[in-house]
Amino acid sequence: MKKLILVKFAPEIFLKGLNRGKFEKKLKDNIKNSIRDLNYEFVEDQGRWFIYSEMMDNVIEKVKNVFGVMEVCKVTQVEASMESIEKQALLDMIESSAKTFKVETNRANKKFSPGSMDVSRKVGGYILQNNEDVSVDVHNPECTINVEIRNMAYIYAKRIKAVGGLPYGMNGSTMLMLSGGIDSPVAGYMMARRGVELNAVYYHSHPYTSERAKDKVKQLTNILKEYTGKLTLYVVPFTEIQMQIIEKCREDELTIIMRRFMMRLACALAEKYGINSVTTGESIGQVASQTMEGLVVSDDVSDRPVFRPLIAMDKVDIIDVSRKIETYETSILPYEDCCTIFVPKHPKTKPRLIEIIKSESVLDIDSLVEKAILEMEIYK
């Protein structure tokens, strides 16, 4: 008898056809990387992945946050015999303290007899014979006893939901425009969950935004790093750009012109470091610059795909995700970012591209972008 952790990966990986092996290898590497500082042994048995460790709870905490993992389960490995399976299933049932149960069997080892349905019936009968206080409920049981029969047999009742998604790093890369707010960390998390490698850019307007604002963004980056394993943060000085816009452009166009500069900077960094796309935390209609017209004008300066995973979500939904991924409490710290200063009283909500291009033509755009990137800070 041996206690192990069963790692179940997302069903979507099974559908990858000839590419499935690449996805599985990447996921396995990511799992091993997440627990590299813990003592463990990685075990495979007929397509199932198991981890043995004396630090089981620590391993579970790490592995359940690896993108591509659907569930982690505490299992007991026993000999593939009916007697061993029945005894362990009874112990798991007693430990659960449940009053109703059912048994589900997965028999990957087809040499094992009896078949799956008969194993479930025999195990259920054995539990009923040896525990008079429980009954079978196949529709809504308090406890499900799972039996997996491979070269060895594995019994478990406790299943822990993991983050799911696809293996991180399998679907290209993106430059996340990371503010200190609630939305952008959630957008980054959602892209990473689909296997996209994250990089982040933060626009810092010293002295109008404090060092605490920058530290707040670093904290958010570190929280996201718990899911991605690594993340590079580019801090771009934005004060001179904002002051130039304020001095030379119309007040009501300040926000949209500022967003266009942010997009230019994100794309320039993406080009410099070979990053495929840009991601923002924008949600349609949430603020003045996030109208349909505003997004069209902002995207005009992009030279690569711009992803907005929150585009159809409302604020309550976004906050729910931010609480789940533990970025919310950091996001609401009262330190302003560059998006919340110099806000015009009446920002233009339906900008016209031709007018915005004309307005910003008085600015030395290329020089401002080049200087900001030259003076940026990089945090690995």
Side-chain angles (χ1 to χ4, degrees), residues 41-247:
E41 178 185 356
F42 201 94
V43 181
E44 295 187 50
D45 188 349
Q46 291 189 316
R48 281 291 202 213
W49 297 352
F50 300 91
I51 299 172
Y52 171 74
S53 177
E54 294 181 357
M55 308 172 72
M56 184 173 286
D57 291 338
N58 301 77
V59 170
I60 288 173
E61 282 302 308
K62 293 285 188 181
V63 174
K64 75 178 185 179
N65 286 332
V66 175
F67 294 118
V69 177
M70 181 183 70
E71 280 184 346
V72 287
C73 312
K74 291 183 176 181
V75 308
T76 304
Q77 179 194 72
V78 299
E79 293 294 327
S81 69
M82 281 306 306
E83 181 181 3
S84 298
I85 292 169
E86 288 171 344
K87 287 181 177 179
Q88 185 56 47
L90 177 60
L91 290 174
D92 279 17
M93 185 65 213
I94 293 171
E95 185 180 340
S96 74
S97 301
K99 296 300 181 183
T100 60
F101 76 99
K102 71 174 179 179
V103 181
E104 292 185 349
T105 303
N106 181 340
R107 185 176 61 103
N109 183 359
K110 301 306 179 185
K111 294 179 181 179
F112 184 91
S113 182
S116 298
M117 294 294 289
D118 287 332
V119 170
S120 294
R121 279 193 289 267
K122 286 177 178 290
V123 171
Y126 183 84
I127 291 173
L128 290 172
Q129 289 171 11
N130 291 275
N131 191 341
E132 297 178 353
D133 296 330
V134 300
S135 60
V136 172
D137 183 348
V138 296
H139 299 295
N140 190 29
E142 294 178 28
C143 174
T144 299
I145 302 294
N146 295 273
V147 179
E148 298 220 2
I149 303 171
R150 297 175 186 272
N151 292 324
M152 301 291 286
Y154 305 90
I155 296 84
Y156 59 98
K158 187 172 183 179
R159 304 165 70 154
I160 301 166
K161 188 176 180 181
V163 289
L166 291 173
Y168 183 70
M170 282 301 295
N171 282 326
S173 56
T174 197
M175 180 63 72
L176 171 66
M177 292 166 62
L178 182 64
S179 71
I182 295 170
D183 301 343
S184 55
V186 174
Y189 169 86
M190 292 176 70
M191 291 298 288
R193 189 174 180 272
R194 297 306 300 164
V196 180
E197 183 178 317
L198 282 189
N199 302 267
V201 55
Y202 166 64
Y203 306 99
H204 188 55
S205 295
H206 177 78
Y208 301 102
T209 51
S210 68
E211 286 300 305
R212 289 198 222 176
K214 187 198 296 185
D215 290 339
K216 174 181 170 181
V217 172
K218 290 180 185 178
Q219 290 177 46
L220 290 170
T221 308
N222 278 324
I223 295 170
L224 290 174
K225 185 178 71 68
E226 292 300 311
Y227 298 95
T228 64
K230 60 180 180 179
L231 209 163
T232 301
L233 172 65
Y234 302 92
V235 177
V236 176
F238 204 60
T239 310
E240 184 175 350
I241 292 173
Q242 283 186 297
M243 298 310 295
Q244 287 282 319
I245 297 170
I246 291 168
E247 290 174 12

Side-chain angles (χ1 to χ4, degrees), residues 278-337:
V278 171
T279 294
T280 84
E282 292 165 311
S283 173
I284 190 75
Q286 189 175 135
V287 295
S289 65
Q290 295 175 19
T291 61
M292 189 71 73
E293 294 85 353
L295 298 180
V296 169
V297 172
S298 178
D299 282 0
D300 172 68
V301 297
S302 174
D303 62 355
R304 63 203 62 224
V306 179
F307 295 111
R308 296 181 172 91
L310 311 186
I311 195 68
M313 296 176 67
D314 62 34
K315 198 68 174 185
V316 174
D317 295 332
I318 297 168
I319 288 173
D320 286 345
V321 179
S322 73
R323 290 185 189 278
K324 185 182 79 171
I325 66 175
E326 299 183 350
T327 57
Y328 179 76
E329 294 300 329
T330 303
S331 292
I332 62 173
L333 292 173
Y335 309 129
E336 292 184 315
D337 59 45

